[in-house]
């Protein structure tokens, strides 16, 4: 029987505790989980692709999961999955709004390759409100992001905020 490979794609800008939860749980569902760090033209990243890649690699190493690999990509997700030999795409869900978008994406991906299945994982209830976009916004306005990211990620985000400057009338 061939190895079951899954892909968990995202921009991870920055990687949050919610992402880490999906990685840990997704790694249990497949023989090998590839974390695909990608770009998204519709998002304004705080960190470069290289910085996000290094951040995700470090966080995965700290999790102690042995069947997870981090790979950067800038391609159509289905093409990336095919190249990696993956038959499963893992997507994390936080809310109903996520489901509507992810459901549409799963349908489009199925049209592109019917042999690749999308699996939705709900984030742990305590982590469901966490979104990278909101973490960045909180940090940019001087808020504490400790409940949402690991310490090293918090330090990196805070250092970047120092570089670009706080926003608002704090």
């Amino acid at each position: 029987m061939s190895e079951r490979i899954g892909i968990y794609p995202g921009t991870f800008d920055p990687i949050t505790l919610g992402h880490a939860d999906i990685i840990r749980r997704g790694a249990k569902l497949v023989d090998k989980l590839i974390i695909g760090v990608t770009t998204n033209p519709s998002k304004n990243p705080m960190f470069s692709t290289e910085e996000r890649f290094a951040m995700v690699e470090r966080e995965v190493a700290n999790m102690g999961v042995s069947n997870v690999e981090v790979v950067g990509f800038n391609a159509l997700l289905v093409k990336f999955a095919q190249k990696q030999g993956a038959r499963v795409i893992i997507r994390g869900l936080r809310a109903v709004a996520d489901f509507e978008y992810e459901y549409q994406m799963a349908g489009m991906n199925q049209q592109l390759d019917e042999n690749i299945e999308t699996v939705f994982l709900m984030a742990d209830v305590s982590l469901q409100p966490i979104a990278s976009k909101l973490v960045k916004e909180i940090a940019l306005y001087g808020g504490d992001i400790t409940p949402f990211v690991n310490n090293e990620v918090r330090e990196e985000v805070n250092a970047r905020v120092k570089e670009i400057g706080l926003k608002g009338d704090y």
Side-chain angles (χ1 to χ4, degrees):
M1 191 167 166
S2 65
E3 184 178 41
R4 187 177 312 128
I5 300 171
I7 301 279
Y8 177 38
T11 53
F12 305 101
D13 185 46
I15 186 169
T16 68
L17 296 177
H19 292 130
D21 178 56
I22 299 298
I23 291 168
R24 267 189 224 93
R25 292 173 45 229
K28 295 176 186 175
L29 301 177
V30 293
D31 300 315
K32 179 180 181 182
L33 180 62
I34 298 170
I35 311 303
V37 179
T38 189
T39 57
N40 185 333
S42 67
K43 295 182 179 182
N44 185 21
M46 179 178 271
F47 296 96
S48 70
T49 304
E50 295 77 18
E51 290 169 323
R52 290 182 284 113
F53 183 89
M55 193 182 294
V56 172
E57 262 194 331
R58 183 194 63 235
E59 293 299 306
V60 166
N62 289 340
M63 286 179 210
V65 286
S66 61
N67 65 330
V68 177
E69 177 184 352
V70 182
V71 176
F73 78 102
N74 185 18
L76 191 62
L77 177 57
V78 168
K79 296 283 186 192
F80 175 67
Q82 291 167 338
K83 184 178 177 184
Q84 299 299 319
R87 290 288 167 238
V88 177
I89 297 171
I90 295 176
R91 301 297 294 163
L93 295 178
R94 292 179 306 244
V96 173
D98 281 353
F99 178 76
E100 290 176 16
Y101 172 77
E102 295 294 345
Y103 182 75
Q104 183 179 20
M105 290 296 295
M108 296 295 284
N109 288 336
Q110 186 179 40
Q111 292 292 317
L112 295 172
D113 188 332
E114 64 185 19
N115 296 311
I116 299 176
E117 292 293 335
T118 299
V119 174
F120 298 117
L121 291 180
M122 296 295 296
D124 183 271
V125 173
S126 66
L127 304 172
Q128 284 182 3
I130 302 173
S132 293
K133 179 181 175 182
L134 297 176
V135 168
K136 290 184 290 191
E137 191 172 316
I138 290 166
L140 284 167
Y141 282 91
D144 181 16
I145 60 171
T146 301
F148 315 119
V149 296
N150 285 328
N151 290 335
E152 289 177 272
V153 174
R154 185 190 77 238
E155 290 170 11
E156 287 177 277
V157 171
N158 289 339
R160 183 57 45 94
V161 169
K162 253 184 156 172
E163 288 175 19
I164 60 180
L166 286 170
K167 296 182 184 233
D169 299 328
Y170 45 91

